Amino acid sequence: MKAGDQQPDFPPTSPAPKDQYNPPAKGFLSMLPTACVPYAELMRLEKPAGLYAFYFPYIIGLCYAACIRDSPPTLEHMMNLAGLFLVWCIILRGAACCWNDNTDQEFDRRVLRCRFRPIARGAVSTAQGHLFTAALGLAGVPILLNLPAECTYHAVPVTLLFMLYPFAKRVTYYPQVVLGFPFAWAIFICCAALEVDPFHPQIFGSAACLFVANVCWTIIYDTIYAHQDIKYDVAAGVKSMAVRFANSTKLLTSILAVAQVVLLLAAGRLAGLSSVYFIVSCGGTAFALINMIGRVDLEVPASCAQWFHRGFWYVGGTVAAGLFGMYLERQPAWNAVHHS
């Protein structure tokens, strides 16, 4: 924080003033019973951008597994799995956000953007928050029961890493690295869902490259996102890569962007993917990252939030589109048309 920057104007350990919180007057949350609103807010149901962070790696993972599988799955099976993983991501995101808000409630009261979160403002107690997190965890079990058992084995480290994340912000300036791993683990879960072993010697190299590329992507967008709160994070003692690299974030994210594209190229090369992947996924990602890093204004919170939202569609969308294009190329109907 620079000298002269304004400090948060509320005590660091007292609840945020409730009279400044305005209940939702429009949108989905306004239609819920009043008692349900704080729990919907804990799940961030009114803020879909964060859901994209959870869901896009699953779409990418499904399309990747469909491309390297011996025989491509049917489109119906792919859509069914995509639907299951969408519900899984809504539940997983809700549980992760609730756990994070409970763990970080003292920090949240000192950060302008977060001070009216349900636990921070006192609408949900600490005990209620933990019970709700546990309930969401149980709600995810039926989803896993509809998937191969290997998916459950992969879900364990994902859950543990999301639980670890809020504590990482207390001890290291690199919590974005920690966050990247449970998001990237979606690649392995989706491989398991399509009965592809991501640790098979012939597959692991490309799967690992795609995994690390996803970690790089998470670090890029979450570091940009963290610049919204950098002044308050410094005051509250919250560590992040935005704080650590406050004056060189664009250099950092540019290096990570190059690494991400190189890893995507390596993943495609090792897996023998087609030209549509290299053109759309790799080329599209390079263009999207150059555009995002070049145009975001890290000094303007609204710009950071805007590019955080757009980045999921620009980067995640292009990676998924290239892989899905190759999946379609492998479909018997496509081959019949183009080889007739």
Side-chain angles (χ1 to χ4, degrees):
M1 180 183 294
K2 297 177 182 178
D5 282 348
Q6 185 179 1
Q7 295 282 346
D9 58 357
F10 43 88
T13 56
S14 62
K18 292 184 180 181
D19 58 357
Q20 294 181 21
Y21 168 74
N22 296 314
K26 59 181 180 179
F28 169 70
L29 295 190
S30 66
M31 297 182 284
L32 295 177
T34 303
C36 296
V37 170
Y39 294 95
E41 290 175 329
L42 278 176
M43 294 182 69
R44 310 287 200 273
L45 293 181
E46 82 285 14
K47 297 178 179 178
L51 178 61
Y52 307 149
F54 280 78
Y55 192 47
F56 262 116
Y58 285 88
I59 296 299
I60 291 168
L62 278 176
C63 293
Y64 166 74
C67 288
I68 64 173
R69 197 170 183 259
D70 289 338
S71 59
T74 64
L75 185 58
E76 180 183 7
H77 187 43
M78 289 282 284
M79 295 301 292
N80 287 338
L81 286 174
L84 278 175
F85 282 127
L86 176 59
V87 178
W88 165 254
C89 285
I90 292 171
I91 294 170
L92 179 63
R93 182 202 181 201
C97 289
C98 188
W99 173 259
N100 185 79
D101 286 7
N102 224 346
T103 306
D104 281 355
Q105 58 181 287
E106 297 301 329
F107 286 149
D108 285 349
R109 294 183 182 116
R110 302 173 66 181
V111 176
L112 181 65
R113 185 177 57 86
C114 307
R115 70 190 192 278
F116 293 132
R117 286 176 175 173
I119 296 175
R121 72 174 188 264
V124 175
S125 70
T126 299
Q128 289 170 330
H130 285 313
L131 286 172
F132 189 55
T133 302
L136 288 170
L138 291 174
V141 172
I143 304 296
L144 293 174
L145 293 177
N146 281 279
L147 296 167
E150 289 78 8
C151 292
T152 301
Y153 305 150
H154 287 297
V156 173
V158 169
T159 303
L160 293 176
L161 285 165
F162 275 127
M163 293 181 70
L164 175 65
Y165 169 66
F167 299 102
K169 291 180 282 187
R170 292 159 167 78
V171 299
T172 177
Y173 283 104
Y174 300 92
Q176 282 75 23
V177 178
V178 176
L179 185 63
F181 277 79
F183 281 137
W185 217 288
I187 307 299
F188 296 157
I189 293 177
C190 290
C191 284
L194 284 174
E195 299 178 331
V196 173
D197 180 7
F199 299 107
H200 188 281
Q202 293 181 334
I203 296 173
F204 181 69
S206 66
C209 285
L210 190 60
F211 181 100
V212 180
N214 202 112
V215 174
C216 291
W217 178 33
T218 303
I219 297 170
I220 292 168
Y221 70 65
D222 201 64
T223 300
I224 289 172
Y225 185 71
H227 266 268
Q228 294 180 98
D229 306 320
I230 192 167
K231 178 172 67 174
Y232 295 94
D233 284 349
V234 171
V238 178
K239 294 179 172 64
S240 73
M241 292 180 72
V243 173
R244 173 65 180 80
F245 298 96
N247 298 317
S248 56
T249 293
K250 290 213 173 186
L251 175 60
L252 170 70
T253 52
S254 296
I255 293 170
L256 288 168
V258 171
Q260 181 180 348
V261 173
V262 169
L263 286 162
L264 289 174
L265 289 167
R269 175 72 175 141
L270 290 169
L273 302 184
S274 72
S275 59
V276 69
Y277 166 80
F278 290 100
I279 294 169
V280 179
S281 295
C282 301
T285 295
F287 178 79
L289 289 170
I290 291 170
N291 191 41
M292 178 172 70
I293 295 169
R295 296 179 64 184
V296 65
D297 187 342
L298 298 173
E299 301 296 324
V300 179
S303 178
C304 297
Q306 182 183 61
W307 284 102
F308 171 76
H309 298 164
R310 290 179 178 179
F312 295 120
W313 291 101
Y314 293 172
V315 178
T318 54
V319 176
L323 287 166
F324 188 69
M326 181 180 168
Y327 160 71
L328 290 178
E329 285 183 329
R330 299 187 71 208
Q331 291 298 300
W334 176 279
N335 288 324
V337 170
H338 288 267
H339 293 88
S340 59

